Amino acid sequence: MNQSFLVVRATIDPSVMAEFVAWYEKEHLPHVMAIPGVVKAFRSTGMSRGGNWTAVYQLADDASVGQILTSKEADTARQDWQRWMAHVTELSVEVYAPLAPLQAFHRWN
């Protein structure tokens, strides 16, 4: 099974964290779950690589990566974030997807 994930990490101003979590659960998460290819969502408010927010989205398969980056639903989810950017000091979005089998490497000397 080729499982892929989208990981969003952020450092959010702690003074707005409660409001951010409420927004995430009520508004943003439904938008993300409407993106074709997103099948599950996980989140953590623990410290991770310097941030205080991590969301992990499991994708249906590696072919879903293109959909989650280019669909109109993905545009809506990205636009959701704009209202929070004044309260975010770091933001990273990473895609983890399996590598295809590599062709045999031949060394010629």
Side-chain angles (χ1 to χ4, degrees), residues 12-91:
I12 299 164
D13 182 344
S15 69
V16 299
M17 185 60 83
E19 183 183 356
F20 177 84
V21 170
W23 161 80
Y24 178 85
E25 291 174 353
K26 292 177 187 172
E27 295 179 42
H28 187 62
L29 188 55
H31 288 160
V32 172
M33 295 308 295
I35 298 171
V38 175
V39 295
K40 288 185 183 177
F42 309 89
R43 71 174 174 89
S44 170
T45 55
M47 299 302 277
S48 173
R49 291 178 26 184
N52 60 0
W53 179 267
T54 302
V56 178
Y57 304 100
Q58 182 180 338
L59 308 181
D61 53 34
D62 59 333
S64 300
V65 173
Q67 291 177 313
I68 63 152
L69 298 175
T70 61
S71 70
K72 65 180 177 146
E73 294 87 354
D75 285 342
T76 299
R78 279 190 294 275
Q79 290 170 5
D80 286 349
W81 266 93
Q82 293 309 307
R83 68 186 270 198
W84 295 103
M85 292 312 291
H87 305 287
V88 175
T89 55
E90 294 179 43
L91 176 65

